Amino acid sequence: MSENVAGRIVKVSGPLVVAEGMRMANMFDVVRVGEQNLIGEIIEMRGDRASIQVYEETAGIGPGDKVVSTGSPLSVELGPGLISNIYDGIQRPLDIIFRKVGHNLPKGIDEPALDREKKWEFFPSVNKGDTVIAGDFLGTVQEYEIVSHRIMVPYGVSGKVEEISFGRLLVTDTVAVIVDDHGESHALTMMQKWPVRKARPFLEKLPPEIPLITGQRNIDSLFPIAKGGTACVPGPFGSGKTVVQHQLAKWSDVDIVIYIGCGERGNEMTDVLREFPELSDPHTGHSLMKRTVLIANTSDMPVAAREASVYTGITIAEYFRDMGYSVAVIADSTSRWAEALREMSGRLEEMPGEEGYPAYLTSRLAQFYERAGIVKCLGSDGRIGTLSAIGAVSPPGGDLSEPVTQATLRIVKVFWGLDASLAYRRHFPAINWLNSYSLYKDKLADWFARNVDSEFNRRTNEAMRILQAESELDEIVKLVGMDALSPADRLTMEVARSIREDFLQQDAFSVDDAYSTLKKQTRLLNLILQYHVKAGKVLKKGASMDAIAALPFLEEIGRAKMIGEKQFEEAVAGILQRMDAQLREIVERVKGEL
């Protein structure tokens, strides 16, 4: 209906363009602005006037220039070729554009997201005459060694397979012809399009009951996130948000990672591009880039494209989820997206909410995070797919009471609060254990008890109790000094220090410490808690805390996390033996003195 609707610009205000004569256009239609064909999207309609957010620099366009509606919403191309690619916020392939035009992104350039010239080996999984429904697999393309790209029947199509192809095909070639119940034929390609603002459908959303294993002890043991869950990582500048998100992207127990750089510095995306191809996936042994899609919207790119980048990333993630994969979306950071909303809201002259953010800030954030979840996918095989959403928040000055952080906390179930003081002390991940929380912890307790250790939850709760006790005792120490504490309280302080430094702190550059299995985590924590219990008994028998603190086995506990997985069990057993022997010597010495 709205195809080729043309209007004229009457106002240009930064990324906002107002055009008249657009009565037949629709909300969220993609438009081409000016002679340079800049890409924009209609975000408001008033009579025949359309307010358009332009995803490119608007310098050089002015009143009188034409605006042409494409008649379709902002959509992404989904099909073979997504993996290991890097796109901008509106899914233009930056690598291909760079090879064609160099470093600078020309205005109005429009390259297809999926390579139209590359042929893929298609292996059909249905036969002629089979009946299929939306979501069923037509066949597979082995995109990389670790990603089998499943070609699905698009939403809204079902019927009998009239034709099925095989062999080397382009993404635009017909792979199957489906005849529906009305006798209408549908020619299907390996590529499909989907509007980014519309969530992809599924059969049923299920409760999250399986943890997303990240290999980070602070997260997995104390503040776990479920597969299909939501989490936020707020923290001030320099507190390690990007460090945490890179670690999650590298080591999380997922099949596909969608990393969205939303308004962040270009050097951070460059780090990802340089590191990921060289890093080996601990689950498959292949390069991490072979299961990663990057969406790059850096701080020097147009502000309006930040919103599009978030929706582009979550839509690509839903596509892989629908294949039955476990997917993680990592957005860095949603604060930059909110700033874009604030700027566009101001230019639209809308009534501002708190600190100038639009009144609909919370609902927009909720629309993003609610697309996460564990779902029963469309199709007749009953497959399950998961999509976990993790967003960084960059509150100005680390003020967690600001609107974006508070709106996010009302939506997500996990809060990993970063602490700049920990980051300055080189304690990474710099997640503050006193103000962080996970609402999934109780729901996941049964899984941990069944699959890791029946004592896992008791140990992690005990560790949190000790860390909270340390914070209370620390106030006393600051006032009157360590000597004023009882021996038992001094032991609590010493054990808390061990939990912080020997358990929670991880070295991302150590082969043996960058990733820690759940088995290693619970054994290491048990080692520290055993020290607490056994040393407490020795204190009651008259031993001094100074003598206990000087025992050699404490250094071994400090080095235990650097021991490889294969030698860890044996090493821990040896440390426990030496712990018992050295504590026994102290008890015998006390008895001798008596």
Side-chain angles (χ1 to χ4, degrees), residues 214 216 219 244-252 330 390 416:
T214 66
Q216 311 306 301
I219 293 173
V244 171
Q245 293 209 311
H246 282 199
Q247 289 297 94
L248 293 171
K250 292 170 190 174
W251 308 119
S252 292
I330 296 174
I390 301 162
W416 296 318

Side-chain angles (χ1 to χ4, degrees), residues 262 307 310-311 333-341 364-365 368:
C262 179
E307 184 184 20
V310 171
Y311 288 119
S333 80
T334 54
S335 291
R336 306 287 177 258
W337 169 30
E339 287 168 6
L341 289 178
R364 288 289 178 88
L365 286 168
F368 168 71

Side-chain angles (χ1 to χ4, degrees), residues 60-110:
I61 64 172
D65 288 350
K66 68 175 182 177
V67 173
V68 179
S69 171
T70 64
S72 59
L74 184 65
S75 303
V76 289
E77 294 183 352
L78 304 168
L82 287 170
I83 296 295
S84 82
N85 224 322
I86 177 167
Y87 297 103
D88 73 351
I90 48 178
Q91 212 200 8
R92 292 182 295 189
L94 296 179
D95 191 40
I96 292 173
I97 293 174
F98 168 72
R99 289 200 296 267
K100 287 191 173 183
V101 299
H103 290 86
N104 296 318
L105 197 66
K107 290 184 181 180
I109 191 167
D110 188 20

Side-chain angles (χ1 to χ4, degrees), residues 9-25:
I9 295 174
V10 295
K11 174 185 174 183
V12 178
S13 175
L16 176 69
V17 168
V18 179
E20 63 182 8
M22 305 289 290
R23 186 177 297 277
M24 297 301 293

Side-chain angles (χ1 to χ4, degrees), residues 320-543:
F320 284 107
R321 176 209 67 191
D322 291 346
M323 296 181 196
Y325 285 127
S326 180
V327 187
V329 169
I330 296 174
D332 187 10
S333 80
T334 54
S335 291
R336 306 287 177 258
W337 169 30
E339 287 168 6
L341 289 178
R342 178 168 60 183
E343 176 164 342
M344 294 306 300
S345 176
R347 293 183 185 278
L348 287 167
E349 299 177 2
E350 296 173 336
M351 181 68 73
E354 190 179 357
E355 293 189 22
Y357 288 102
Y360 48 78
L361 171 65
T362 303
S363 65
R364 288 289 178 88
L365 286 168
Q367 286 169 12
F368 168 71
Y369 283 109
E370 74 181 3
R371 290 170 74 168
I374 175 168
V375 303
K376 187 178 290 185
C377 306
L378 292 180
S380 52
D381 60 356
R383 63 186 178 274
I384 303 296
T386 69
L387 197 169
S388 309
I390 301 162
V393 185
S394 309
D399 177 17
L400 299 184
S401 65
E402 60 89 38
V404 181
T405 306
Q406 289 303 307
T408 306
L409 289 181
R410 287 195 287 271
I411 299 162
V412 301
K413 297 288 195 293
V414 179
F415 171 71
W416 296 318
L418 299 183
D419 191 328
S421 64
L422 288 175
Y424 295 150
R425 297 203 304 263
R426 296 295 182 265
H427 184 293
F428 290 109
I431 296 172
N432 188 311
W433 46 87
L434 296 177
N435 61 14
S436 299
Y437 62 81
S438 169
L439 299 182
Y440 296 117
K441 199 169 192 309
D442 292 340
K443 296 179 182 178
L444 299 174
D446 288 343
W447 188 95
F448 283 116
R450 289 194 314 269
N451 296 279
V452 184
D453 192 306
S454 58
E455 293 290 298
F456 184 87
N457 298 295
R458 184 195 63 78
R459 288 170 187 159
T460 56
N461 290 337
E462 177 65 9
M464 278 303 302
R465 188 195 66 77
I466 292 170
L467 290 170
Q468 287 166 352
E470 180 201 30
S471 70
E472 296 167 5
L473 292 170
D474 197 43
E475 296 297 321
I476 299 172
V477 171
K478 287 176 181 175
L479 288 172
V480 293
M482 184 70 79
D483 293 337
L485 297 181
S486 67
D489 286 343
R490 285 186 60 191
L491 175 61
T492 298
M493 294 288 283
E494 180 63 27
V495 172
R497 181 205 58 77
S498 182
I499 292 172
R500 287 188 285 105
E501 297 178 6
D502 305 335
F503 182 74
L504 297 182
Q505 191 172 355
Q506 266 178 277
D507 185 352
F509 296 101
S510 167
V511 174
D512 294 314
D513 196 38
Y515 180 87
S516 187
T517 64
L518 289 176
K519 185 177 179 181
K520 183 175 179 179
Q521 291 183 38
T522 189
R523 297 291 185 271
L524 180 58
L525 187 55
N526 181 54
L527 181 63
I528 297 169
L529 296 178
Q530 284 288 317
Y531 160 51
H532 187 215
V533 172
K534 293 177 179 180
K537 292 177 180 177
V538 171
L539 279 178
K540 290 178 180 178
K541 293 179 180 179

Side-chain angles (χ1 to χ4, degrees), residues 86 268-278 289 294:
I86 177 167
E268 293 180 355
M269 293 305 297
T270 304
D271 287 344
V272 175
L273 278 172
R274 287 177 175 171
E275 286 180 18
F276 278 32
E278 298 174 3
M289 272 307 288
L294 298 178

Side-chain angles (χ1 to χ4, degrees), residues 69-233:
S69 171
T70 64
S72 59
L74 184 65
S75 303
V76 289
E77 294 183 352
L78 304 168
L82 287 170
I83 296 295
S84 82
N85 224 322
I86 177 167
Y87 297 103
D88 73 351
I90 48 178
Q91 212 200 8
R92 292 182 295 189
L94 296 179
D95 191 40
I96 292 173
I97 293 174
F98 168 72
R99 289 200 296 267
K100 287 191 173 183
V101 299
H103 290 86
N104 296 318
L105 197 66
K107 290 184 181 180
I109 191 167
D110 188 20
E111 282 290 325
L114 300 179
D115 194 334
R116 298 294 196 267
E117 299 175 2
K118 184 171 182 177
K119 290 195 171 185
W120 301 92
E121 193 73 34
F122 176 74
F123 300 95
S125 55
V126 295
N127 299 310
K128 184 176 179 179
D130 288 352
T131 300
V132 294
I133 62 173
D136 281 349
F137 297 150
L138 293 171
T140 58
V141 170
Q142 198 64 37
E143 194 163 352
Y144 283 104
E145 300 94 324
I146 56 176
V147 177
S148 178
H149 198 112
R150 294 146 185 178
I151 308 302
M152 298 173 285
V153 178
Y155 178 64
V157 177
S158 62
K160 188 171 286 187
V161 179
E162 184 72 19
E163 295 177 24
I164 186 73
S165 303
F166 64 91
R168 295 179 61 77
L169 301 168
L170 301 171
V171 292
T172 52
D173 288 341
T174 299
V175 294
V177 176
I178 308 295
V179 178
D180 62 23
D181 295 339
H182 304 290
E184 186 178 348
S185 294
H186 301 268
L188 306 181
T189 65
M190 286 193 283
M191 179 186 76
Q192 54 179 272
K193 286 192 172 185
W194 192 265
V196 297
R197 293 180 182 274
K198 181 181 178 183
R200 285 176 64 87
F202 49 82
L203 292 177
E204 181 184 359
K205 184 167 276 192
L206 306 172
E209 296 174 340
I210 302 171
L212 177 65
I213 309 304
T214 66
Q216 311 306 301
R217 293 186 290 268
N218 204 328
I219 293 173
D220 293 343
S221 293
L222 300 188
F223 312 109
I225 176 175
K227 279 191 175 181
T230 54
C232 71
V233 192

